[in-house]
Amino acid sequence: MPMDLSMSRAPELFGKEKTPVSLVEKLISSEAFASLYHEGMGLVEEAAAYLDGDGREEAKLLSRDTSLAYSAESMRLTTRLMQIASWLLLQRAVHQGEMTRHQSAAGRHRVRLQQQELASSSEIFKRLPDRLRELSLDSLRLQARIILMDQLLYAEREISEKVEPPISPVLLQLARLRDAFSK
């Protein structure tokens, strides 16, 4: 009796779902994401508190050139953190069932993250207040992690929508064994 390996038997081979488990999806719904979410939102709050408080006072003491660099760096920091916060909130909405992953990838909802560099040269950046430099560097590191996660998450989705998963050799062997012993 020939073995039926068509995709019509795929649910039987794969279980109830035909699609493989997404490790990135598991990561987004894990404690690791909760930690990333709190880190990102905490950084947003820290930056806002600094820029509205001590940062204003420190900016008044800077030379004209350094003050312009401070303004540019703080605007870049704010933009970067707003992109990060938007992405985190979108992923949290998906995780909590407020929207689907497909909806989050749609044009009007999708947060397009772009790698941003520092607004100043390293010479000028060194003259900025320590706290602004720390916040800027922390936000760049967080942004890089989130961009990587975003690429993995949405690239995996695009690939899985285009390509039907191949049947695993292990599952094929299990199907053969099941067929051999079910006679």
Side-chain angles (χ1 to χ4, degrees):
M1 172 185 245
M3 206 166 56
D4 177 17
L5 296 178
S6 67
M7 286 311 287
S8 64
R9 284 217 34 217
E12 184 180 318
L13 294 175
F14 283 99
K16 293 181 182 183
E17 298 276 332
K18 283 196 320 187
T19 58
V21 174
S22 166
L23 295 178
V24 179
E25 284 287 344
K26 291 291 183 189
L27 177 63
I28 290 291
S29 61
S30 72
E31 287 299 315
F33 177 76
S35 175
L36 181 69
Y37 179 84
H38 291 297
E39 179 184 348
M41 296 314 241
L43 190 57
V44 168
E45 289 177 18
E46 285 178 52
Y50 169 76
L51 293 172
D52 286 341
D54 292 343
R56 284 185 192 217
E57 298 305 314
E58 290 176 349
K60 291 176 185 176
L61 304 173
L62 300 173
S63 69
R64 179 168 166 66
D65 290 345
T66 309
S67 179
L68 287 172
Y70 178 95
S71 294
E73 203 62 58
S74 63
M75 285 177 21
R76 182 89 42 108
L77 171 65
T78 303
T79 301
R80 189 179 309 118
L81 289 174
M82 289 303 102
Q83 283 184 348
I84 288 170
S86 295
W87 188 89
L88 290 168
L89 289 167
L90 183 68
Q91 301 314 313
R92 186 181 74 170
V94 171
H95 175 64
Q96 293 179 343
E98 296 171 11
M99 66 183 347
T100 65
R101 176 71 52 213
H102 182 72
Q103 288 171 326
S104 76
R108 68 176 210 201
H109 293 295
R110 178 82 193 265
V111 176
R112 304 258 184 236
L113 298 168
Q114 295 180 351
Q115 185 69 39
Q116 291 181 356
E117 301 300 324
L118 296 172
S120 313
S121 69
S122 61
E123 292 280 321
I124 295 174
F125 187 73
K126 290 177 187 175
R127 290 188 255 152
L128 295 174
D130 290 343
R131 188 65 184 136
L132 179 63
R133 289 195 327 254
E134 289 170 11
L135 289 167
S136 294
L137 294 174
D138 288 348
S139 72
L140 285 172
R141 283 188 287 274
L142 182 61
Q143 179 189 47
R145 288 171 39 210
I146 288 176
I147 286 174
L148 177 61
M149 191 176 290
D150 182 74
Q151 290 169 344
L152 292 171
L153 185 65
Y154 290 102
E156 181 179 272
R157 177 168 180 74
E158 290 168 9
I159 289 169
S160 69
E161 287 175 351
K162 292 178 185 173
V163 178
E164 204 149 320
I167 296 176
S168 161
V170 172
L171 291 176
L172 286 174
Q173 287 299 324
L174 289 172
R176 286 181 183 141
L177 288 169
R178 193 173 28 246
D179 286 347
F181 290 106
S182 65
K183 294 180 182 181

